[in-house]
Amino acid sequence: MLHDKIKQYSEEIAAFSPSSSADVENFRLKFLVSKGIVKTLFEEFKEVSTEEKRVLGKVLNEFKQLAEAKFKDAQEQFASAKVDLKNEDDLTLPGQGFSLGSRHPLSLVRKEIVEIFKKLGFIVSEGPEIEDDWHNFSALNFPPEHPARDMQDTFFIKKQDGNDMALRTHTSSVQVRLMEAGQPPFRAIMPGRVYRNEAISARAHCFFHQVEGLYIDENVSFADLKQTLYHFVKELYGDDTKVRFRPSYFPFTEPSAEMDISCTICKGAGCQLCKGSGWVEILGCGMVDPNVLDNCNIDSKKYSGFAFGMGIERVTNLKYEIKDLRLFSENDVNFLAQFESEII
Ligand code: DAH
C-alpha cells in the first residue's frame, strides 16, 4: 500500500512542470507542509511491519529528497524571472502605455444617429438579413416584374425547398416586419447591413449599412417629416448645415423625396466631393404609401406616416471624408486607429 502510494506520488512529482509561481506554491502546499503528503507518508511508515520498514525506509527518504529538490528547482526557476531592480532603475518613469481598441467609424456614426433619434422618442428595431420576397419587395409595393425591382441588384439564395430568399437590399424590410407585428403608433429606426450585387470599387460595395426610419400615427404629415429630418441634420452636422428636398420616386412612399445637405466638406462652395455643386444627397424619404400600410394590416384611412432611409457609409464619408468605401471592410489598423478610442 505505502509502496504503491510512494510510487504514484513520485511519478506525479517527476511529471510536475510549473508554469507560474502559483503552481510552485501549490506544489509546496500539497507535498511539503506539515499536513502535506511527505509528512503523511512518514506517519503511515510508522505503522508498517519491521521487514517492510527495512525496504521502505530508503524509498521514502528518496521520495522526500525528490520532492524537496523539485520544489527548490521550481522556486529558482520563477525567482529568476523576478525583476532585478538596480540602483539606476527610475521608478518614477511612467509605465508603458497600451492601446485600447477603437470603435469602427461606422459603429460610431450609427451610434450617433441612433442617439439623435432616441431623443425624439424613436425606438431601435432590427430584422433578418436573409429576407423573403414579401418583406423586401412585395409588401413595399414593388409588384412582381416591376422594373423598380431592378433599382436594387439583388443576391438570391435558393432554399432546399426550392424557394428563393434574398439578402435584403435595404432595411425598409424591417418597416414591414415592425408594422405586421402591431398597430400604430410606430416610431422606430432600424439600423442594419444590406447587400447588393455590385462590383466592389472605391464607390460601391456588395454590402453596406443603412438606417431606416418610420413614424406612423394619426395625422402625421410631410411637415413632420421635414421637421424631423431638419433636426437630425443640424444635430449631426451642425446648425449651419443647409437642407433641401428634391422630388423623387420610391415604390413604398408617395410622395417621395431625396434630401440634400450643403456639402459638409466645402460648406457649399463647391469641391470634389459635391462635384462642384455645393450639395450632397444624404437620404431618401417620403410619406408611406397607403398600399404599404394596407399590406401590413394598418388602416390607411386612419393612419399616415413617413419613412426615410440613409446609408451609414455615406453619412460617415460626409463626416470624415473617407474617399474609398473598401476601407470600411479591410480591417486596416492604421485606418481604424484614427477614430475615437473607447473603453468598451
Ligand atoms: N430603401 C431605399 C434604398 O435602399 C431608401 C429609402 C428611400 C428608404 C425612401 C425609405 C424611403 O424609407 O422612404 O434606396
Side-chain angles (χ1 to χ4, degrees):
M1 273 296 281
L2 181 57
H3 184 267
D4 290 345
K5 282 190 193 168
I6 297 173
K7 187 161 173 264
Q8 183 206 326
Y9 286 126
S10 302
E11 282 166 7
E12 184 180 331
I13 291 174
F16 174 63
S17 130
S19 48
S20 67
S21 51
D23 288 348
V24 182
E25 177 61 4
N26 286 336
F27 181 93
R28 188 182 73 84
L29 293 173
K30 182 167 182 184
F31 289 99
L32 299 172
V33 292
S34 61
K35 289 222 163 56
I37 283 162
V38 172
K39 284 264 163 58
T40 316
L41 295 183
F42 270 93
E43 288 300 312
E44 284 185 30
F45 178 75
K46 286 182 194 158
E47 313 295 326
V48 301
S49 66
T50 332
E51 296 102 87
E52 274 185 297
K53 277 205 174 100
R54 236 172 271 142
V55 190
L56 285 180
K58 185 166 173 270
V59 180
L60 192 54
N61 272 320
E62 280 169 3
F63 172 71
K64 185 177 174 220
Q65 283 160 11
L66 175 72
E68 285 171 350
K70 191 78 178 189
F71 174 65
K72 200 162 159 264
D73 281 355
Q75 224 183 4
E76 275 168 12
Q77 182 187 337
F78 285 96
S80 61
K82 272 197 195 141
V83 181
D84 197 5
L85 276 184
K86 298 188 198 72
N87 280 342
E88 63 265 28
D89 285 334
D90 181 354
L91 297 179
T92 63
L93 283 174
Q96 270 180 5
F98 60 96
S99 50
L100 293 172
S102 55
R103 270 192 206 270
H104 192 283
L106 293 178
S107 305
L108 277 177
V109 170
R110 182 191 54 207
K111 196 166 139 231
E112 252 187 281
I113 298 172
V114 166
E115 294 302 322
I116 295 172
F117 282 104
K118 265 191 181 168
K119 284 188 197 144
L120 296 176
F122 284 69
I123 60 154
V124 175
S125 184
E126 287 180 73
E129 292 181 16
I130 301 177
E131 262 302 5
D132 48 37
D133 180 275
W134 172 254
H135 292 95
N136 198 75
F137 292 120
S138 300
L140 288 164
N141 206 28
F142 287 84
E145 317 300 333
H146 193 280
R149 289 185 181 228
D150 294 339
M151 281 160 74
Q152 305 175 343
D153 295 314
T154 312
F155 283 118
F156 290 101
I157 300 174
K158 233 193 206 359
K159 283 201 301 183
Q160 271 172 344
D161 63 12
N163 287 332
D164 271 340
M165 294 288 279
L167 292 183
R168 67 179 177 196
T169 55
H170 53 183
T171 42
S172 303
S173 55
V174 189
Q175 280 189 28
V176 178
R177 291 193 170 268
L178 187 69
M179 288 195 278
E180 279 177 340
Q183 284 296 312
F186 296 109
R187 209 185 298 171
I189 52 164
M190 297 150 260
R193 183 174 290 173
V194 302
Y195 300 83
R196 303 224 182 142
N197 192 355
E198 304 231 12
I200 297 172
S201 71
R203 301 178 57 83
H205 211 294
C206 59
F207 69 81
F208 54 99
H209 301 79
Q210 289 187 331
V211 176
E212 182 81 11
L214 180 73
Y215 187 178
I216 309 281
D217 204 344
E218 290 179 36
N219 303 317
V220 179
S221 69
F222 202 89
D224 297 314
L225 162 65
K226 283 174 84 174
Q227 198 50 47
T228 306
L229 294 177
Y230 275 145
H231 173 78
F232 164 68
V233 166
K234 309 232 162 191
E235 285 288 299
L236 192 67
Y237 292 112
D239 266 345
D240 52 353
T241 316
K242 292 198 198 67
V243 178
R244 75 176 185 193
F245 287 85
R246 279 179 291 104
S248 184
Y249 170 76
F250 300 103
F252 34 90
T253 42
E254 181 58 37
S256 303
E258 277 169 301
M259 191 175 92
D260 297 338
I261 60 171
S262 52
C263 181
T264 50
I265 308 302
C266 63
K267 307 281 173 225
C271 69
Q272 217 186 359
L273 185 94
C274 60
K275 302 198 186 73
S277 71
W279 292 96
V280 280
E281 183 207 320
I282 171 164
L283 54 78
C285 57
M287 300 306 290
V288 176
D289 192 301
N291 288 340
V292 176
L293 296 176
D294 293 339
N295 285 340
C296 301
N297 300 318
I298 309 280
D299 182 354
S300 58
K301 304 232 164 22
K302 184 165 175 203
Y303 294 108
S304 59
F306 63 77
F308 55 88
M310 68 187 105
I312 304 183
E313 276 80 354
R314 180 144 192 90
V315 175
T316 308
N317 291 350
L318 292 173
K319 243 181 131 64
Y320 296 114
E321 251 188 292
I322 296 160
K323 297 211 173 73
D324 191 331
L325 269 181
R326 290 169 292 197
L327 285 166
F328 287 125
S329 50
E330 279 171 350
N331 285 338
D332 177 345
V333 176
N334 287 328
F335 169 71
L336 296 174
Q338 299 173 74
F339 300 90
E340 173 197 298
S341 73
E342 239 182 273
I343 300 168
I344 299 171

